[in-house]
Amino acid sequence: MPITSTTTDELLAYAGLARVCEPPATALSQFVTREGPVAAWRAVIERRAPRPVLAGSAARVADLSWDDARRQAEADLLDAAQVGAELLTPADPAWPAAAVTGLAGAVARGVTGAAPPLALWVRGRLPVRLPADGVTIVGSRACSPYGRRVAGELAADLAARGRAVISGAAFGVDTAAHYGALMARHPGGQPATVAVLACGIDRAYPEANRELLDRIAADGAVVSEYPPGTRPARHRFLVRNRLIAAFGAGTVVVEAGRRSGTLSTAAAADHQGRLVMAVPGPVTSALSAGCHLLLADRFAHLVTGADDVLTALGGHRAIEPALFPATDATGGVSGARVLDRPGSDPHHPTDGLDADTARVYEAFPARERIAVAELVKESGLVAPTVLGALAVLELHDLAERQGHLWRRCRPGRRPVTGSGGPSGPAVRSADPPPRAQ
Amino acid sequence: MPITSTTTDELLAYAGLARVCEPPATALSQFVTREGPVAAWRAVIERRAPRPVLAGSAARVADLSWDDARRQAEADLLDAAQVGAELLTPADPAWPAAAVTGLAGAVARGVTGAAPPLALWVRGRLPVRLPADGVTIVGSRACSPYGRRVAGELAADLAARGRAVISGAAFGVDTAAHYGALMARHPGGQPATVAVLACGIDRAYPEANRELLDRIAADGAVVSEYPPGTRPARHRFLVRNRLIAAFGAGTVVVEAGRRSGTLSTAAAADHQGRLVMAVPGPVTSALSAGCHLLLADRFAHLVTGADDVLTALGGHRAIEPALFPATDATGGVSGARVLDRPGSDPHHPTDGLDADTARVYEAFPARERIAVAELVKESGLVAPTVLGALAVLELHDLAERQGHLWRRCRPGRRPVTGSGGPSGPAVRSADPPPRAQ
C-alpha cells in the first residue's frame, strides 16, 4: 500500500520521533515545539540535540543511521496504513489541541510524566470537540456484574446525550463502556466512543477485543501514541492513562480496587484540571473500595448516572489541580499511592523500587528471556541505567541472569507463619500478569 | 407497685410537665430551667406561666385541676414502673447532660424544634459517656439485605470496640443495628445499644419488636421523652430523631431513600454539631439514593465500616453546624427537604402544608374517627389552631367531617394520563401507614 499524499517530511519526522522516544517525552516534546519536527528529528538522529533530549532517545538512536531512521519511519506509516490508521500531528486540523492543553499545563506546573503526545496514530475519527464533548469512563478489568452494568448504562446514556466516551481497551469496565456507547450511538452522528491503546495501533490487546476495536475504529476512534508493533507493558498503561484522562472533560471511575491502576487515571485527570468523579458501590465489594477512597477523601465527586455526570461537568471549570501530589515518571503511580492506606493490601513486586528500576522490571516480557540490549530498547532507558536496575532487581530476587540473557522472577510469597499451609515456602513464577489498566 | 423512694416533688413535677407538653417544648424547657420544675409545673397547671409556655401546654391543661394533674403524674410514674422504667431528670447523676448540650446549642443558634427533653423515661441503663461513646445508626425500615448486613456488621464492630449503638426501634436498619450490637456486646460491660422511642416507654412499636425491646432494656436502654401510653405518630418520629442524633458522637445513615425520614436525623445531627456519615451502596438501589445525596452534596462523610467511623469521629470536633438550614417545628423536615430534587419522587400528603396543619393531619388515628377535643390533646395544639387546620385539610380532601367526628382521608392518586391503567382514578384509603422513622 503506497504512502498517501499526506506523507510529508513533517509526517515522516513525527513517525521517526515517535519511534525513538518512549512517552512521556517531556524534553523532546519541548524541543520539537521549539525547533519544528523536521529539524528536531534530524538533530536527534545525528545526536546534536540538547542533552536532556538525547537522554530520552539515546537508547533507541544508538547506532541508527539517518537512512535507517527514515526507512523505519516510512515502514511505520505503511504498517499503520495497512490497518487503516493515520498519523495525526499537531499541524493537522483534527489534532485535539484543546485536549492536550491540560497536559501542557500539568508540565508547566512541574508534574512529571505529563508530557503531551508528539503525535497520535488514529484509526477512525476523533470527536470534533475534545475534551468538551468527551467523558472518560474507567474501571477495573475484573469488574463485577454491577460494574459492567453501571459502565454500560452510563456510557449509553452519555452517548445518547451527545457525549463521546473515552476509555482503554481492557476487559471489564472499558469494554462495557465501549459497547454501551456503540449501542446507543451519538444523536448527531459524531463518534460515540474512543479507545486509547497502550500498544501499537496495529495490535489488539487483549486479543479477544480485536473485533470490538474494529467496531470502535468504524464508529469512533482507536488511538495510540506508540509506533506500530509496540507491545503493551505495565508502564505503558500508566503512561497511556494520562491521554485517556486528557480526552474527557471529566473522568468517571466506575469500579476500582484500592490499588487499581485506574486510580492513576484519576490522578492524571486531576493533574490536568479535569473533574474526577466516582461511582459508589456496595461497601461489601472490594471492587468499589478504590471509588470509596476517592470519595471519602473528596478527591472525586459522587455520581450515580449520566445526569449527575453532566450536572457535575456543567458546574466544573478546569481549575488549578491541587488534590494529588505530582507523579513520578510512570505517569501517576505516586499520585495513586497517596490513596493507599498502610497495611491494607498485599504488596506489588515493584513497591519500594525507584521509578527506573520498576520500569526495567516492567519491560521484561512475560515468559521469555531477554537480552540487556532489548531491555534498553523496551524501557527507553540508557544501558548504564538498565544495568544498575538489573543489579537491584537481582538483589531483590526479581530478576535473574541466565547466561547472556535475563528473566523476570515473581517474588516468593511469604510462608504463612507457623504453618506449612497451602502457600508454603517461596514459589517462583515467571508469569506475573499485567496488573494496571 | 409502690412508687419508689426516688419519688420526690421534682420527679412528680417532671412527670406532670411531660404529660401536658408535646415535645419539643422550647419555651417550657427554658421556663423549667429558670424556675425549677416544681414551681414551673404549678405555674403551668395554674395558668400563671408566661404566654409562650402556656401556648405549648394549654391544649392539655385546659380544665385540668391541680389534683388531677398530680394524680396523672403519679399514675404515669406507676405505669412506667410496671414496665421497669424510671424517669430520669436533669438532677439525676445519670442524666446525659453532655448529649443534650448539642440541643441547647442548636436552640441558641435559632434552630426550631431542637429543644432538649425535659426528662427521659428509661428502661435499663444508659452508657455513662454520651455522646462520646455513642454512635447513632439509622436507615430505612424497608431496607435491603445489603442494608441489613451492613447495619448489623457495623453495629457489631462498633459495640465490640466499646461504642454503644443508638437507634430507633423500627424494622430494617434499626433492628439490624440493635441485634448486631447485642450479639457483639461491649467489651467493658457497658450498655451496647440504646433504642429511643417515639411513643410511651410502656408501648412496643412495632409490636413485633417487643422482644427486641425487652432485650435492649436488659442489656442497654430503651428511652422515651413521651409519657406512658403515648401512641406513635409521624410527627413524633421526626421529633424523636433529634434525640437519636443527640446521643451519638456521630450519625451514620446506612440506607435511605431520597425522601426518607432518616434524613431528618442526619439534619438533626448536623444542627447539633455532630458528624454526619453515610454508607454508600449500589447506584442501582433506590434505597441508597438518600445516602448518595448526602455524600454528593458533601453533607456526609463516606464510611464503609467501623474503622472509617472511628477514624472520622477521631478527627471530628463538634463544630458550628452550617450545612443544613434551620428546621421547622417538626424537628428536621425542612432540613431534609433541602435534599429533595424536583420531580424525583411521589408527593407526601402533607407536602405544602404548614407545620401545624401537617401536625394535625398526623395526629389522626390510622383507622378511627376522632373528636376535635382529642385532636387538640393529641397534637398539643390549641383548639383554634386545630379547627383552622381541619378546615385546610378538608379543603385538600385530607380530612372529612362525619357528624361530630373527623376522619383522615388519603389523597387520591392522580390517574395515569391517557390510560385507565392499574392505578386508575382517585382511590381513598383511611390507612396511610406511618412513613418516617
Side-chain angles (χ1 to χ4, degrees):
Chain A
M1 191 184 287
I3 296 177
T4 69
S5 63
T6 59
T7 308
T8 65
D9 282 351
E10 284 209 350
L11 204 56
L12 270 182
Y14 276 114
L17 287 164
R19 172 59 59 186
V20 298
C21 76
E22 177 74 25
T26 309
L28 179 57
S29 160
Q30 288 163 345
F31 185 59
V32 171
T33 304
R34 205 162 61 238
E35 303 290 326
V38 176
W41 186 31
R42 190 167 273 276
V44 166
I45 298 300
E46 295 175 352
R47 270 144 278 180
R48 288 183 291 101
R51 187 198 299 257
V53 175
L54 291 182
S57 55
R60 288 173 195 166
V61 170
D63 41 33
L64 195 68
S65 72
W66 175 249
D67 284 347
D68 286 345
R70 202 176 160 90
R71 267 193 294 274
Q72 179 66 60
E74 285 172 353
D76 285 344
L77 287 164
L78 268 173
D79 286 348
Q82 281 184 353
V83 295
E86 290 186 322
L87 185 61
L88 206 58
T89 75
D92 199 298
W95 178 252
V100 300
T101 302
L103 289 164
V107 171
R109 280 189 304 276
V111 176
T112 54
L118 289 175
L120 292 167
W121 303 90
V122 179
R123 282 173 75 198
R125 60 197 178 107
L126 285 172
V128 175
R129 298 198 324 140
L130 289 181
D133 282 349
V135 176
T136 298
I137 299 181
V138 292
S140 290
R141 284 177 301 156
C143 72
S144 72
Y146 167 71
R148 199 170 297 119
R149 173 182 166 186
V150 170
E153 289 181 358
L154 179 60
D157 289 349
L158 288 170
R161 293 171 69 173
R163 302 296 172 121
V165 168
I166 320 293
S167 193
F171 293 139
V173 166
D174 292 12
T175 294
H178 289 305
Y179 274 118
L182 287 170
M183 280 192 292
R185 293 176 183 250
H186 188 292
Q190 278 283 307
T193 198
V194 175
V196 187
L197 305 182
C199 58
I201 193 79
D202 56 340
R203 298 188 66 151
Y205 185 85
E207 173 61 34
N209 268 353
R210 182 177 293 279
E211 193 194 325
L212 171 63
L213 287 167
D214 289 344
R215 285 186 59 185
I216 296 171
D219 278 1
V222 178
V223 180
S224 171
E225 63 180 323
Y226 295 100
T230 306
R231 74 177 188 87
R234 182 168 195 251
H235 68 91
R236 296 207 175 103
F237 287 105
L238 293 169
V239 167
R240 179 274 320 256
N241 288 349
R242 81 195 195 291
L243 298 185
I244 294 187
F247 288 167
T251 288
V252 183
V253 184
V254 170
E255 264 192 338
R258 273 174 181 267
R259 291 176 62 91
S260 170
T262 294
L263 300 180
S264 80
T265 313
D270 182 63
H271 283 138
Q272 297 170 44
R274 305 285 195 262
L275 193 69
V276 180
M277 294 161 276
V279 177
V283 297
T284 46
S285 165
L287 283 166
S288 287
C291 293
H292 294 155
L293 281 179
L294 289 171
L295 292 167
D297 292 340
R298 303 193 171 173
F299 286 127
H301 284 247
L302 186 147
V303 291
T304 64
D307 279 349
D308 285 355
V309 169
L310 296 178
T311 302
L313 288 176
H316 180 71
R317 295 165 192 286
I319 46 160
E320 285 298 296
L323 296 175
F324 283 93
T327 51
D328 61 20
T330 54
V333 188
S334 69
R337 283 213 179 125
V338 177
L339 301 169
D340 291 343
R341 291 184 180 176
S344 63
D345 248 32
H347 289 292
H348 186 267
T350 56
D351 283 355
L353 298 181
D354 62 87
D356 285 349
T357 306
R359 190 157 151 183
V360 170
Y361 180 82
E362 300 297 343
F364 272 92
R367 291 178 187 80
E368 301 118 36
R369 293 177 297 168
I370 187 172
V372 172
E374 288 304 306
L375 279 175
V376 164
K377 280 193 193 156
E378 193 56 42
S379 67
L381 299 169
V382 291
T385 307
V386 169
L387 290 170
L390 285 171
V392 174
L393 291 172
E394 195 172 27
L395 198 66
H396 287 82
D397 285 337
L398 290 168
E400 66 178 11
R401 188 198 306 259
Q402 297 185 330
H404 289 293
L405 300 175
W406 287 77
R407 55 170 290 197
R408 182 158 72 171
C409 309
R410 206 174 195 178
R413 298 183 187 216
R414 227 178 284 169
V416 176
T417 313
S419 103
S423 59
V427 172
R428 282 187 180 181
S429 152
D431 183 20
R435 290 175 82 246
Q437 284 284 3
Chain B
M1 192 185 287
I3 296 177
T4 68
S5 62
T6 61
T7 308
T8 64
D9 283 350
E10 284 210 350
L11 205 55
L12 269 181
Y14 276 113
L17 287 164
R19 172 58 60 185
V20 297
C21 76
E22 176 75 23
T26 309
L28 179 56
S29 160
Q30 289 164 342
F31 185 59
V32 170
T33 303
R34 204 162 62 239
E35 302 290 326
V38 176
W41 186 31
R42 189 166 274 273
V44 166
I45 298 301
E46 294 175 354
R47 270 144 280 180
R48 288 183 289 100
R51 188 198 298 257
V53 176
L54 292 182
S57 55
R60 290 171 193 167
V61 170
D63 40 36
L64 195 67
S65 72
W66 175 248
D67 284 347
D68 286 346
R70 203 177 160 89
R71 266 194 295 274
Q72 180 64 62
E74 285 172 352
D76 284 344
L77 288 164
L78 268 172
D79 286 348
Q82 281 184 352
V83 295
E86 290 186 321
L87 186 60
L88 205 57
T89 75
D92 198 300
W95 179 251
V100 300
T101 302
L103 289 164
V107 170
R109 282 189 302 276
V111 176
T112 55
L118 288 174
L120 292 166
W121 302 90
V122 179
R123 283 173 74 199
R125 62 198 177 108
L126 285 172
V128 175
R129 299 199 322 144
L130 288 182
D133 282 350
V135 176
T136 298
I137 299 179
V138 292
S140 290
R141 284 177 301 155
C143 72
S144 72
Y146 167 71
R148 198 170 298 119
R149 172 181 166 187
V150 170
E153 289 181 358
L154 179 60
D157 289 348
L158 288 170
R161 293 171 68 172
R163 302 296 170 122
V165 168
I166 320 292
S167 194
F171 293 141
V173 166
D174 292 12
T175 294
H178 288 306
Y179 274 118
L182 287 170
M183 280 190 292
R185 292 176 184 250
H186 187 293
Q190 279 283 308
T193 198
V194 175
V196 187
L197 305 183
C199 58
I201 192 80
D202 56 340
R203 298 188 67 150
Y205 184 86
E207 173 61 32
N209 269 353
R210 182 177 294 279
E211 192 194 325
L212 170 63
L213 287 167
D214 288 345
R215 285 186 58 185
I216 296 171
D219 278 1
V222 178
V223 180
S224 170
E225 63 181 322
Y226 297 100
T230 306
R231 73 177 187 87
R234 181 168 195 253
H235 68 92
R236 295 206 176 105
F237 286 105
L238 293 170
V239 167
R240 180 274 317 258
N241 287 350
R242 82 194 195 290
L243 298 186
I244 293 188
F247 288 167
T251 288
V252 183
V253 184
V254 170
E255 265 192 337
R258 274 175 179 267
R259 292 177 60 91
S260 170
T262 294
L263 300 180
S264 79
T265 312
D270 182 63
H271 282 138
Q272 297 170 44
R274 303 285 195 262
L275 193 69
V276 179
M277 294 161 277
V279 177
V283 297
T284 46
S285 164
L287 283 166
S288 286
C291 292
H292 294 155
L293 282 180
L294 288 171
L295 292 168
D297 293 341
R298 305 195 170 173
F299 285 128
H301 284 246
L302 185 148
V303 290
T304 64
D307 278 349
D308 286 355
V309 169
L310 296 178
T311 302
L313 288 175
H316 179 71
R317 295 166 190 286
I319 45 156
E320 285 298 294
L323 297 174
F324 284 92
T327 51
D328 62 22
T330 54
V333 187
S334 68
R337 280 210 181 128
V338 176
L339 301 170
D340 290 345
R341 292 182 177 176
S344 63
D345 248 32
H347 288 292
H348 187 266
T350 56
D351 283 356
L353 298 181
D354 63 85
D356 284 348
T357 305
R359 189 158 152 181
V360 170
Y361 180 83
E362 300 297 343
F364 273 91
R367 290 178 188 80
E368 303 118 35
R369 293 177 296 169
I370 187 172
V372 173
E374 288 303 307
L375 279 175
V376 165
K377 280 193 193 155
E378 193 57 40
S379 67
L381 299 169
V382 292
T385 306
V386 170
L387 289 169
L390 285 170
V392 174
L393 291 173
E394 195 171 29
L395 197 66
H396 288 82
D397 285 336
L398 289 168
E400 66 178 12
R401 187 196 306 259
Q402 298 185 329
H404 289 292
L405 300 176
W406 287 77
R407 54 170 288 197
R408 183 160 72 170
C409 308
R410 205 174 195 177
R413 298 182 185 214
R414 229 179 283 169
V416 176
T417 312
S419 105
S423 59
V427 172
R428 283 188 179 181
S429 153
D431 184 18
R435 291 175 80 246
Q437 283 283 6

